[in-house]
Amino acid sequence: MPVRYYAVRIGREGPKIYSNYHDFQMAICGLSGSSGKGFDTYREAEAWLTGVPMPAASVTNVTSQTTTTMVWEVSSDSHQGSTLASTSTTISYQTGARPYPEPQPGRRWFEYESPLNTRHARPNGDRLTPPPPYIPLARYNMPREPELPPPLPPQPAVELSEEQKQVLRLVQNGKNIFFTGPAGTGKSVLLRAIIDMLRVKFGGEVAITAPTGIAGVNIGGSTIYSWAGIRLGKEGVQQLLVVSGDFFQLPPVPDQDSTTIIPSTFAFDALSWSRCIDEPVSLTKVFRQKDNKFVDMLSATRSGKLLDWHIREFMKLKRVVDYSDGISPTQLFPLKSQVESCNKTHLDVLSGEQVTYSAMDSRGFDMHENRIPIVVAEQLLDRLVVPKVISLKIGAQVMLLRNLLQGKLVNGSLGKVIDFMTTHEATQCFIEIANLDTPAQRAPNGDFLPTLPPGVDDEDKYKGLLALDRQEFTKHERFPLVRFTNDVHLLCAPLSFTVEGLKGNVEAQRIQVPLVLAWAMSIHKAQGQTMTRVKVDLQRIFEKGQAYVALSRATSLEGLEVIGFDPSRVLAHPRVIDWQASWQAQRDQEEEMDMDWAIEQYYSSTDISV
Ligand SMILES: Nc1ncnc2c1ncn2[C@@H]1O[C@H](COP(=O)(O)OP(=O)(O)OP(=O)(O)O)[C@@H](O)[C@H]1O
């Protein structure tokens, strides 16, 4: 067989020319926004890659018994393909076949070569076939189309608002800071930006801590169990302290041992707090909700001061919202037992095969380089939102626990399991695969490699992690293929979730499919989430701030159902109200003085006589 060349403009290894089809496929398969093309000669590939056109006559058409080149254009905003060439391909699709994942918005051009028999047989005899909106536009026996348009730039990250930038600048200038703000004002987004900035500045010397699992995941994939371990103002924080949170939301679950229950206290109670931190900086612009009426209702819920019209509007939300895609809103409950029972009932109703995933857990070292004891590692991992064991069936409703595909899927994205397949099968079908972020997990051909052989303690390769129980995910293992509410499809292969120590040391790691069952979720675990469809049951609310956390997860009134709304249970903690009042009054006074001073300056410097 003659050697062929494959040029990749956007791929895992950057722009590159491959002479091996398999390597080419691995460079682009499942990679959002990838772009590549096959050629008969190196020069043609190079010309395409560098944008220097070849004389038309020298471009030979690709002919082969077994391969076909397909060009698809997928519009970034409508999911509808459109035909660029007048002759379209005649690949026929089996009717009644299982749907093939649809293209994602943002991937406008995607060209690749695939064996005609890519539509591999499934164990039950049916096939994954690509129906529209992937519309094949050209075949190898057609004249080559004109030069492709330049690839789309990567999706821009969220641009920080002026007030977020202001906080970033303060940190850049070395100021210890506490920034707060209502739910959805972008505290996590800002914290991630600060962490990125500090990591560039201080390298590995940045310790990140969060009191709850989901909050930890939100700010960078890690959680530290010992919030108190920071020892404000003493060891552990050498240079700079950045703290963020909203005391009007739920406090961390208090630590307890067998005999004493330690009541939750607020960080501002600590003696070291005022030593380290000036008064808070407040973010005010709410991003999660766009509707001012809803923002107002939530603001009143936060302070526990509901007016009559707020109550009337919340009462109106007791209705059923229908969603045509069959993905129901996630129900938020105050109690774990309510969550477990709801999820179990729904899963039991589904008839298909149940597939269970046990996490691959391992333990590392504490900040003094002592091995973390097994029991401690297990406790740390228990605090993660990602479960140790999860059972799924086709039809199971799930929530993603990671931001993936450049923001197309986020921590909190809701979806349904539509199939189970191996990473190899997903690669063959050009399905996006959750990015595997632990070095030893994936072989170059996309298969899983055994990761932690018993007793292996190779510092470089495994960061000194020792397996707690399960040793590996195998290449034969099938993982859940999930269709999300925005129609993006993803093979949810396992990802790594870590618990990190103050020096960034990995104390414990869980490798697990990045999903939780999502017919129901506890309000505690939903903290930090942004949800487009949510149903809140407030009947058994028991904590101040709990109703606020639950209601403020929703992005819109349209996507929010509320049952059991009782205004008398919408409460803010009196100590938090007092604390806020103490600095707010002072700030208002300062602002007033600033205003008086500005007016005085204006009149003293301006001739206002007429
Ligand atoms: N500058 C920004 N521009 C546009 N969207 C933003 C911006 N900052 C944050 N967002 C979006 O607002 C939503 C809420 O952000 P985020 O989760 O950071 O808020 P939060 O204050 O941490 O919320 P919570 O207190 O509920 O955890 C997210 O969807 C995020 O992408």
Side-chain angles (χ1 to χ4, degrees), residues 95-286:
T95 47
R98 198 169 285 189
Y100 189 82
E102 295 179 10
Q104 283 89 56
R107 179 195 288 184
R108 285 199 59 220
W109 288 90
F110 188 82
E111 176 164 342
Y112 70 91
E113 294 223 334
S114 76
L116 275 174
N117 61 2
T118 289
R119 296 169 287 155
H120 65 286
R122 307 286 302 151
N124 59 2
D126 66 356
R127 285 162 185 276
L128 282 164
T129 59
Y134 275 138
I135 299 178
L137 296 171
R139 292 191 82 176
Y140 54 82
N141 54 0
M142 286 178 53
R144 289 271 161 184
E145 79 292 343
E147 194 60 28
L148 291 175
L152 284 185
Q155 289 197 351
V158 168
E159 199 194 328
L160 296 184
S161 66
E162 209 31 64
E163 61 180 6
Q164 287 171 319
K165 280 184 194 157
Q166 176 66 18
V167 176
L168 189 69
R169 276 195 289 270
L170 287 171
V171 178
Q172 248 162 350
N173 292 337
K175 190 169 167 53
N176 286 351
I177 201 166
F178 168 58
F179 64 91
T180 183
T185 45
K187 297 183 292 296
S188 301
V189 165
L190 173 57
L191 208 45
R192 282 195 293 267
I194 290 174
I195 290 165
D196 289 349
M197 183 272 289
L198 291 177
R199 282 208 161 123
V200 171
K201 199 166 168 180
F202 297 112
E205 295 296 304
V206 181
I208 308 156
T209 175
T212 59
I214 202 114
V217 170
N218 275 348
I219 59 172
S222 61
T223 301
I224 287 182
Y225 69 105
S226 178
W227 176 243
I230 282 186
R231 297 189 196 94
L232 295 177
K234 292 192 184 158
E235 66 176 276
V237 183
Q238 307 291 332
Q239 318 241 1
L240 188 61
L241 180 66
V242 179
V243 185
S244 174
D246 179 15
F247 291 117
F248 285 91
Q249 297 185 43
L250 281 170
V253 179
D255 277 335
Q256 58 188 72
D257 59 29
S258 53
T259 50
T260 24
I261 295 182
I262 304 160
S264 57
T265 49
F266 293 98
F268 56 74
D269 288 328
L271 288 175
S272 47
W273 180 263
S274 53
R275 245 197 355 256
C276 299
I277 298 208
D278 293 339
E279 65 179 41
V281 177
S282 244
L283 299 178
T284 54
K285 180 164 172 46
V286 176

Side-chain angles (χ1 to χ4, degrees), residues 321-333 339-340 342-355 357 387 389-401 412-420 480-486 492 513-521 530-536 559 561:
V321 183
D322 270 333
Y323 297 96
S324 55
D325 58 9
I327 300 177
S328 54
T330 299
Q331 240 182 302
L332 297 184
F333 291 108
V339 175
E340 284 170 358
C342 176
N343 279 332
K344 183 173 181 326
T345 310
H346 278 89
L347 194 67
D348 287 350
V349 168
L350 299 174
S351 55
E353 173 203 8
Q354 179 165 307
V355 184
Y357 298 97
V389 178
I390 182 169
S391 293
L392 299 169
K393 292 178 182 173
I394 289 182
Q397 187 160 309
V398 287
M399 185 180 286
L400 186 68
L401 295 174
S413 290
L414 208 55
K416 226 167 213 192
V417 175
I418 57 167
D419 206 346
F420 293 96
L481 173 61
V482 177
R483 175 176 58 83
F484 290 91
T485 50
N486 59 357
C492 293
V513 295
L515 299 172
V516 275
L517 285 174
W519 285 290
M521 200 173 202
T530 296
M531 298 174 163
T532 49
R533 35 184 103 172
V534 54
K535 180 173 175 180
V536 178
E561 284 176 57

Side-chain angles (χ1 to χ4, degrees), residues 313-324:
E313 290 298 323
F314 276 123
M315 292 294 194
K316 279 192 209 162
L317 299 176
K318 186 182 173 189
R319 81 273 187 245
V320 177
V321 183
D322 270 333
Y323 297 96
S324 55

